[in-house]
Amino acid sequence: MKKINLIGLTVEDLQTYVTGLGEPKYRAGQIFSWLNKFRVRSFDDMTNLPQEFRDKCAETATIDYPKIVTQQQSKLDATCKFLFRLEDGAHIESVSIPPREDAVDAEKRQTLCISTQIGCPLDCQFCATATMGFVRNLTPGEIVGQVLAVQAASEKPVTNIVFMGMGEPMLNYDNVMKAVDVLTAHTGLAFSPRRITISTAGYSTMIRRMADEDRKVKLALSLHSLRDEVRRELMPITKKFSVNGLLDALEYYSKKTKKSVMLEYIVFEGLNDTAVDIALLTKAAHRMDCRINLIPFHSIAFTNPQGISAELKGAKKADIDKFAAKLRAAAIPVFVRNSAGVDIDAACGQLAVKNEKQKKKK
Ligand code: SAH
């Protein structure tokens, strides 16, 4: 019989496991804390469990993190990219991102950007992950395991998590939310949901669902254009979910949850940086409680882009700053994201496991 990996299981899942072995339910809570709070790697270290039960666990279960194959440190900043091998031999990446210098808790903060899928089916024209195509969804264990593995390999604890690595979290909603439940459980890693951000390319229906389910994590939307015709070209998902439908969903979300949403916007020269774009963005931002993150475009030249992907040009730093100033003048909170990790292809949108590339950028 195949052994079951206990990483990523909730207390309820573990109850099913322990009762299946003829043990009382409360053992599940004990195992959960050993795995997620004390983070032991062997059943023998679970010292409050009877030896006989520890042996039964070792016969039927494992404690497996995704295996760190390489750890690449940027020479320009504190970014570190982790390449993992999963149980089936597939690879994914996570990135530890240095804090903004002006962050209040900059010294303590370690933000980890994690993946939710192997590859991605959405085909956003500016994103390197798209060139991998879609392979499969990650399990809750593979999602939580990225955090546990990086935590075990780092001196600083992981303090913030962003679901902005490979893949579209809304297409793997159940596993992502189960991972969030495990990460936020008080008897485990105990992450505050306010330190977890889920970023989507724009599934209006799922944004409404998160609001209705009163999920406490933060929400980010990769917006990039408010003009349907431009956004459709950049992000084909817009053919399914229009810009207006998205804004309605975000307004619903921010009003219902009383939470601020983060709007992410890559500034492309000549494409979404005109006075009309600024006016549309201002109007949209005034509809809801939000903040805007302006992101510099990170080159995906290494994917050999063709067509529109090859034509995209990031706005210059000075022009992004001007863009930000115009939004601030309209009383909108704006951050200009820095480009940490570009030398190791670890900046936003640059994640792609090269040996698993399935198709070239068209
Ligand atoms: N699928 C999710 C999460 C993954 S992308 C989403 O779309 O939000 C994480 C962030 O990186 C998104 O805001 C995305 O738009 C941005 N991004 C993708 N490619 C990029 C690139 N080449 N340069 C800068 N940001 C990029």
Side-chain angles (χ1 to χ4, degrees), residues 3-241:
K3 292 185 182 182
I4 173 176
N5 182 11
L6 302 188
I7 296 299
L9 299 196
T10 59
V11 174
E12 292 71 38
D13 295 333
L14 288 168
Q15 283 173 350
T16 309
Y17 169 69
V18 297
T19 52
L21 293 178
E23 289 287 323
K25 266 189 179 178
Y26 72 88
R27 293 272 181 237
Q30 292 176 314
I31 296 184
F32 185 86
S33 286
W34 280 117
L35 296 175
N36 298 289
K37 185 173 182 184
F38 304 110
R39 300 188 280 282
V40 302
R41 305 295 299 273
S42 144
F43 292 106
D44 261 339
D45 291 334
M46 300 187 180
T47 48
N48 61 352
L49 303 184
Q51 185 62 50
E52 203 187 317
F53 179 46
R54 282 187 242 167
D55 293 342
K56 260 202 266 180
C57 288
E59 280 161 27
T60 51
T62 58
I63 304 171
D64 280 336
Y65 297 177
K67 191 174 176 334
I68 297 176
V69 186
T70 56
Q71 200 172 321
Q72 253 179 300
Q73 179 65 56
S74 164
K75 292 191 175 62
L76 307 174
D77 54 66
T79 307
C80 186
K81 183 163 83 171
F82 296 85
L83 174 71
F84 296 99
R85 187 167 58 244
L86 306 175
E87 217 192 327
D88 63 355
H91 292 88
I92 51 163
E93 291 175 331
S94 305
V95 180
S96 167
I97 310 166
R100 301 168 59 90
E101 276 161 23
D102 55 352
V104 271
D105 54 352
E107 237 155 68
K108 278 192 247 143
R109 191 186 283 217
Q110 183 185 194
T111 299
L112 189 67
C113 173
I114 59 175
S115 296
T116 56
Q117 300 184 309
I118 304 173
C120 182
L122 295 188
D123 211 23
C124 298
Q125 295 300 302
F126 44 78
C127 179
T129 308
T131 60
M132 293 174 65
F134 174 65
V135 183
R136 70 168 170 86
N137 279 334
L138 296 184
T139 63
E142 288 164 341
I143 298 172
V144 173
Q146 294 169 63
V147 180
L148 289 169
V150 170
Q151 181 110 328
S154 328
E155 279 160 28
K156 263 194 193 177
V158 175
T159 55
N160 295 60
I161 298 171
V162 291
F163 285 79
M164 294 187 188
M166 292 176 179
E168 167 54 38
M170 297 302 187
L171 289 176
N172 189 14
Y173 188 82
D174 291 344
N175 288 352
V176 165
M177 290 306 170
K178 187 180 267 209
V180 167
D181 288 343
V182 171
L183 293 166
T184 54
H186 290 299
T187 52
L189 286 143
F191 272 93
S192 159
R194 280 173 292 129
R195 291 180 175 270
I196 299 180
T197 303
I198 295 187
S199 179
T200 176
Y203 278 82
S204 314
T205 44
M206 302 308 269
I207 292 171
R208 286 174 185 273
R209 180 169 166 190
M210 272 180 74
D212 292 338
E213 291 176 354
D214 197 21
R215 298 283 175 180
K216 305 290 185 212
V217 288
K218 287 195 186 167
L219 176 69
L221 172 80
S222 300
L223 185 56
H224 309 322
S225 174
L226 286 135
R227 288 187 276 157
D228 269 317
E229 65 284 9
V230 175
R231 198 173 190 274
R232 252 184 253 134
E233 264 211 82
L234 286 174
M235 306 174 76
I237 178 74
T238 314
K239 292 175 196 154
K240 237 192 215 161
F241 299 101

